[in-house]
Amino acid sequence: MTYRALLALLLLLTAAGCPTANDDDSAAADDDDAADDDDAADDDDAADDDDAADDDDAADDDDAAGPFAPMEGTYEYGLISFSVNECSSGQGQIGDGFDLINLNTDVEAYTMDPEDGGVPEVTCFFDQAMAFVCNPTTHSSNLAGRGLPQATINRSDTNSGGTWTSPTTCEVNNSITLNCAGSQCTAAALAFGIPSFPCTSTYSTTATLID
């Protein structure tokens, strides 16, 4: 082999067997590797997922306190405020208060037993907003004990209800309508300071547990 032929062969072998830094076959420079792949830092992880700190917890849920309920016992009325007082009513006609009895939290109901013995018991219903309503009542009283046997007073109470501001204090609203039957009703009106029958007195007051 001549010197020229040997030199050409060496040049050919060099070109075929020695890759350069610009070749595409270099795994280190061109291939996707762990540094290019999505890794744990890019994937959704525990820090991105909803966890206990994001979920509604016991502080947001309805708790075990259950429905609001007043306390049983004897309640005394405070100052009575009349918005209408055609019947010239006062504390004597309204009474001093009531006893709260027969509390039933299952049906959210209780009984108000007025301390005025001539007024019937009242069934009331309350809710978790502390509001309450009571059934209307009616009753009649003959005035024979006042020397007026021919006069019978018919009383109707709306028992409009009110709001419990605490388990031992409530605001009470009521409207009383009085009518009279009998030949001595004019005398009865004079005795009570009422201009005429029928008449209406609407009032509000507070009631506070005292016993």
Side-chain angles (χ1 to χ4, degrees), residues 26 30 32 56 69 113 124 130-131 138 154 159-160 175 178 211:
S26 174
D30 301 314
D32 290 340
D56 291 335
D113 183 13
C124 300
M130 299 186 181
T138 59
N154 301 303
N159 298 314
S160 306
S175 186
L178 301 179
D211 187 13

Side-chain angles (χ1 to χ4, degrees), residues 3-203:
Y3 174 78
R4 180 175 292 180
L6 179 61
L7 180 59
L9 178 61
L10 288 174
L11 291 174
L12 179 64
L13 290 174
T14 299
C18 298
T20 68
N22 294 324
D23 287 343
D24 293 333
D25 295 330
S26 174
D30 301 314
D31 292 340
D32 290 340
D33 56 14
D36 299 319
D37 293 337
D38 291 335
D39 57 14
D42 299 317
D43 295 336
D44 290 336
D45 56 15
D48 299 318
D49 295 336
D50 290 334
D51 56 16
D54 299 318
D55 295 336
D56 291 335
D57 56 15
D60 298 319
D61 297 333
D62 291 335
D63 56 28
F68 167 84
M71 291 180 61
E72 291 188 337
T74 299
Y75 287 77
E76 183 178 71
Y77 289 143
L79 180 66
I80 295 173
S81 177
F82 290 95
S83 58
V84 176
N85 197 6
E86 297 173 348
C87 302
S88 302
S89 298
Q91 193 78 46
Q93 288 71 42
I94 304 305
D96 295 324
F98 59 88
D99 291 325
L100 194 155
I101 58 176
N102 302 328
L103 176 64
N104 186 334
T105 56
D106 290 335
V107 296
E108 298 181 341
Y110 57 84
T111 299
M112 291 173 61
D113 183 13
E115 293 191 348
D116 180 352
V119 180
E121 294 181 352
V122 182
T123 300
C124 300
F125 304 89
F126 62 95
D127 60 26
Q128 293 186 43
M130 299 186 181
F132 71 94
V133 294
C134 303
N135 292 334
T137 56
T138 59
H139 70 284
S140 299
S141 300
N142 184 266
L143 300 183
R146 292 175 174 263
L148 299 170
Q150 302 305 314
T152 298
I153 302 297
N154 301 303
R155 172 174 165 170
S156 299
D157 289 62
T158 62
N159 298 314
S160 306
T163 303
W164 286 92
T165 55
S166 79
T168 59
T169 306
C170 67
E171 298 175 354
V172 178
N173 303 301
N174 189 22
S175 186
I176 299 170
T177 297
L178 301 179
N179 211 338
C180 183
S183 59
Q184 294 179 301
C185 285
T186 300
L190 290 173
F192 288 111
I194 297 172
S196 62
F197 291 104
C199 65
T200 297
S201 292
T202 301
Y203 67 90

